[in-house]
Amino acid sequence: MSSVTEDVVAGELDEALDSGVVTARRSSGRLPSWLRGSSPVPTYIGIAVAIAGFVLLLIAWGQVAGETQVSLQLPYLVSAGLTGLALVMVGLTVVTIASEQRDAVARDRQMDQLVSILDELNATLSATKDKRK
């Protein structure tokens, strides 16, 4: 396509978007607000899962410490100990991912602000150049 044709197509698309004729397809696959990147809820869920894991570890330790025979300690170690360890790891992973998502949302917001500031600066500089000529 030539640049003139691309400009016309881009202009028609912008007009269609502005008039509301064309809508974004992503709206049908939207996440609930509590699962979006800026929400603190996933962090709280991860913390709760990690706490549940620590509780299971404490229960396993209490039961294993009360038994003197190794054959009676193993079921507590396997059922509560390993499950508790897995829950702690899953909870910390959820907290890490939620933190990275919140950072990405903040970084995108800052980038949008920077772009708008640079656009304003560019418009101001071009207006100043036009007045000087």
Side-chain angles (χ1 to χ4, degrees):
M1 254 197 236
S2 68
S3 64
V4 174
T5 308
E6 288 175 0
D7 291 340
V8 170
V9 171
E12 290 173 357
L13 180 60
D14 289 340
E15 289 175 13
L17 285 173
D18 291 340
S19 66
V21 173
V22 178
T23 58
R25 289 182 176 245
R26 293 179 6 184
S27 63
S28 63
R30 291 197 108 164
L31 291 174
S33 62
W34 61 274
L35 277 180
R36 292 193 186 131
S38 59
S39 174
V41 173
T43 303
Y44 297 143
I45 291 172
I47 290 171
V49 169
I51 289 172
F54 281 120
V55 168
L56 279 177
L57 285 173
L58 288 174
I59 290 171
W61 178 78
Q63 294 296 325
V64 168
E67 292 292 336
T68 56
Q69 295 179 356
V70 174
S71 62
L72 295 177
Q73 292 176 347
L74 284 178
Y76 294 115
L77 180 67
V78 170
S79 64
L82 294 180
T83 305
L85 184 62
L87 284 176
V88 168
M89 291 180 2
V90 167
L92 293 179
T93 302
V94 169
V95 168
T96 301
I97 291 171
S99 172
E100 289 177 3
Q101 285 179 343
R102 290 182 73 174
D103 289 344
V105 167
R107 191 172 41 250
D108 288 343
R109 190 178 312 123
Q110 289 174 349
M111 188 61 72
D112 290 341
Q113 288 176 348
L114 181 61
V115 166
S116 67
I117 289 170
L118 288 175
D119 287 342
E120 288 177 20
L121 180 62
N122 190 16
T124 304
L125 289 176
S126 64
T128 305
K129 281 183 182 179
D130 290 341
K131 287 182 182 179
R132 288 184 185 174
K133 288 183 180 180

